[in-house]
Amino acid sequence: MALPVDHKAHIIDGKAIAQTIRDEIASEVKILVEKYGKAPGLAVVIVGHRKDSQSYVNMKRKACAEVGIKSIDIDLPEEVPEAELIAKVHELNADPEVHGILVQLPLPKHINEEKVLTEISIDKDVDGFHPLNIGKLAMKGRDPLFLPCTPKGCIELLKRSGVIIKGKRAVVVGRSNIVGLPVSLLLLKADATVTVVHSRTPDPENIIREADIVIAAAGQAMMIKGSWLKPGAAVIDVGTNAVDDPSRKSGYRLVGDVDYQEGCKVAGCITPVPGGVGPMTVAMLLKNTLDGAKRVIGQ
């Protein structure tokens, strides 16, 4: 179908949708506190002093405060032994005030990430990366206790924007453990026909062009051009890439994996970067923490 020359995609406002979800969470937290005198607790573990990790963690702590979730902060030095970090995780597993545990990734080189994540109690795995949670996500008719936050946020953006997933062709660009793989499994659970495009896929352009729904999570700045999109497609751009921009004070600006200017002329709806998927990831973390608390409080 040809689009009018002045076609402009509907912009999916991730910030506004995330705020609505945070308001919903805040009122549920209030009910828990009034009824049982207990608030959900989220333990955030950070190892070392990576600037990006620090700013992510601060954002999460601030978001907790806003909705009334108790944030338990664990700051460990860069050189902490793996065994000590695991002991800390066990301590948090046993703490009844803690309903969610988040270990900020990446961890320093001397620590085995998989080993640490597997030690998190499945009932408190608010990041949704425990092998049992991912395994259940991959199986038909099984429900994980928690879904990974960014993929869950992508699906929520589609649903709250009125995009029908059932029976649609969805293409996921990227196959990471954090986004690409779990979001493809979620789309499959929602009855989409799913194709995953990755760095070894020949001719990605033609595959993407057949998609009613595109989830871009490749980490390649503006890789997907407007001409690669099917007119009217729903586009969720997970990419956050810094590109040089001398006109900015910081010297760079953030762009997605989709060429946004071009995409706006072809897509039916599209998320901006920043202000699209990012705010949803944090909102879903809060939602997972609330859900974990609701399973325990009042039982």
Side-chain angles (χ1 to χ4, degrees):
M1 74 177 194
L3 290 168
V5 181
D6 58 353
H7 171 80
K8 189 93 173 68
H10 165 71
I11 309 302
I12 299 173
D13 187 344
K15 246 183 178 159
I17 294 172
Q19 192 54 57
T20 303
I21 292 167
R22 278 152 89 142
D23 294 343
E24 293 165 7
I25 293 166
S27 48
E28 283 204 59
V29 169
K30 200 165 164 245
I31 292 165
L32 278 183
V33 173
E34 283 167 4
K35 205 168 168 189
Y36 303 105
K38 285 183 181 171
L42 173 66
V44 180
V45 181
I46 181 166
V47 180
H49 297 287
R50 273 179 67 117
K51 276 225 168 13
D52 56 349
S53 290
Q54 291 279 0
S55 70
Y56 277 134
V57 166
N58 288 336
M59 191 165 68
K60 286 164 185 170
R61 286 170 181 164
K62 216 173 109 188
C64 281
E66 190 195 306
V67 298
I69 289 174
K70 199 170 93 189
S71 179
I72 297 115
D73 306 337
I74 315 289
D75 291 288
L76 298 171
E78 181 85 29
E79 58 285 349
V80 68
E82 182 180 272
E84 200 177 307
L85 174 59
I86 289 173
K88 195 76 208 163
V89 167
H90 289 169
E91 199 181 299
L92 295 168
N93 283 343
D95 186 342
E97 300 290 299
V98 173
H99 304 102
I101 300 169
L102 178 119
V103 175
Q104 184 63 44
L105 304 177
L107 289 168
K109 293 274 186 286
H110 69 280
I111 294 173
N112 179 333
E113 211 163 89
E114 188 182 354
K115 200 169 165 189
V116 173
L117 295 182
T118 305
E119 292 297 328
I120 295 172
S121 159
I122 188 168
D123 303 302
K124 299 188 180 188
D125 172 40
V126 285
D127 243 352
F129 293 136
H130 191 288
L132 275 174
N133 275 326
I134 292 288
K136 285 187 175 197
L137 176 58
M139 292 171 86
K140 203 174 170 185
R142 308 280 167 88
D143 285 313
L145 284 173
F146 298 104
L147 297 173
C149 302
T150 302
K152 183 178 178 171
C154 293
I155 302 298
E156 197 68 31
L157 283 174
L158 290 170
K159 287 182 175 167
R160 291 192 184 228
S161 302
V163 175
I164 292 158
I165 302 174
K166 190 176 183 169
K168 294 292 198 273
R169 299 194 72 160
V171 170
V172 177
V173 186
R175 53 176 167 179
S176 72
N177 289 337
I178 293 175
V179 185
L181 178 78
V183 87
S184 64
L185 295 171
L186 273 174
L187 287 162
L188 204 52
K189 263 201 194 317
D191 297 326
T193 301
V194 184
T195 306
V196 179
V197 164
H198 49 78
S199 57
R200 301 286 182 270
T201 304
D203 198 17
E205 183 181 337
N206 281 333
I207 298 169
I208 294 166
R209 203 178 282 125
E210 291 187 357
D212 304 302
I213 296 167
V214 177
I215 312 260
Q220 298 291 321
M222 294 161 73
M223 161 191 151
I224 298 166
K225 306 296 171 202
S227 61
W228 293 26
L229 299 171
K230 177 180 182 175
V235 180
I236 304 290
D237 193 347
V238 186
T240 312
N241 311 290
V243 295
D244 292 336
D245 185 347
S247 74
R248 296 282 174 101
K249 203 164 83 177
S250 59
Y252 69 90
R253 65 189 161 93
L254 294 178
V255 299
D257 290 351
V258 178
D259 186 320
Y260 183 69
Q261 278 354 96
E262 288 186 11
C264 280
K265 295 174 187 160
V266 187
C269 57
I270 189 167
T271 59
V273 175
V277 176
M280 290 298 288
T281 299
V282 180
M284 294 299 113
L285 173 67
L286 301 174
K287 180 83 173 82
N288 279 351
T289 304
L290 169 67
D291 290 345
K294 277 160 66 177
R295 289 190 195 113
V296 181
I297 297 173
Q299 288 308 312

